[in-house]
Amino acid sequence: MAKDGKGDDLPAGGISRRDFLRGGAAVGALGSAGLLAGEMAEGAKAKPAPRMEAGVEVFGPGPVPVRLRINGKSHDLNLEPRTTLLDALRDHLELTGAKKVCDRGTCGACTVLLDGAPVYACSLLAIDVQRQPIATLEGLGRPEKLHPLQAAFVDNDAQQCGFCTPGFIMAAKALLDHNPTPSLGDVHHGLSGNFCRCGTYAGMRQAVLAAAPLMAGGFEEEPEEPEEGSGAEVIDDGDAVDAPKPASRNKKKKKRRGRG
Ligand code: FES
Ligand code: FES
């Protein structure tokens, strides 16, 4: 402070009222240049450089780019690293076939195929399954063009509330893709990771056995798009029931995995 409370004499390191006003005028004169610098700083904040900790690139906690390969098409999303595959499908891509029931890897309602193997989508992080082929119920068929398994579930009265049904159908598809002629015991085992609270197990097992010869009869799967594609796309028809082509079943061998 000035000795008399009004003058410019200040203790060392202080700033006088006159200096303050001079500085303010200078900032005003800089005007838009100062603003531009501020915007540039904001821009730098919006696109942070990759964060490294102990030599490892750290993602998040904010949204980061994630590319998912679903039903033969690529989808580019911005997701928080904590986002599960199930939430990415349901909340970001409107693919609601996989159901959220327990959300803790015990019921199978969220079953999708990851590289041909059944997994619980609620128990995987989307960021961890980038570029691996993911198949969901939406890729199998449509109401007017059902997949053999979907048609067999209807014909065998294999659902009541239907909440568990998409997960069972995906688990059954994984089973039949790996074992085209399963025994009843094989079907029991193949569906053992899924619960049906309505108790329609008998109908579902019959449906899987009924669909097996239809799927083994052969049909061409839709060719996948190049991975460069992105954004929300129309869902593939997949291997739909009304287009069987004898002896041309996709014989791709896929490595079976345990549930995620
Ligand atoms: S919602 Fe139950 S296992 Fe994923
Ligand atoms: S049909 Fe209702 S839970 Fe399976």
Side-chain angles (χ1 to χ4, degrees), residues 228-252:
E228 287 68 41
S230 64
E233 296 92 359
V234 177
I235 304 305
D236 276 351
D237 289 347
D239 37 13
V241 71
D242 62 351
K245 296 182 180 63
S248 59
R249 177 173 157 74
N250 180 0
K251 293 197 172 74
K252 246 192 324 190

Side-chain angles (χ1 to χ4, degrees), residues 86 99-110 120 122:
L86 181 60
K99 298 291 183 280
K100 185 186 275 191
V101 177
C102 68
D103 202 20
R104 58 193 304 171
T106 59
C107 75
C110 62
Y120 296 146
C122 70

Side-chain angles (χ1 to χ4, degrees), residues 59-168:
F59 297 93
V64 297
V66 172
R67 173 170 287 189
L68 296 177
R69 185 91 177 139
I70 301 167
N71 300 329
K73 298 178 188 299
S74 292
H75 300 263
D76 288 323
L77 303 168
N78 278 310
L79 302 174
E80 292 182 5
R82 64 175 178 160
T83 306
T84 64
L85 174 58
L86 181 60
D87 286 342
L89 293 172
R90 293 181 58 82
D91 300 341
H92 296 268
L93 293 168
E94 297 185 6
L95 296 173
T96 55
K99 298 291 183 280
K100 185 186 275 191
V101 177
C102 68
D103 202 20
R104 58 193 304 171
T106 59
C107 75
C110 62
T111 301
V112 300
L113 305 189
L114 183 66
D115 208 4
V119 295
Y120 296 146
C122 70
S123 302
L124 292 170
L125 294 176
I127 196 171
D128 281 341
V129 295
Q130 297 186 79
R131 299 179 188 276
Q132 292 181 69
I134 297 162
T136 71
L137 186 79
E138 289 86 349
L140 293 194
R142 295 171 298 184
E144 68 277 12
K145 201 174 183 182
L146 293 179
H147 183 278
L149 270 168
Q150 293 170 313
F153 266 63
V154 173
D155 292 344
N156 288 272
D157 202 14
Q159 68 280 313
Q160 287 187 34
C161 75
F163 226 74
C164 69
T165 310
F168 270 100

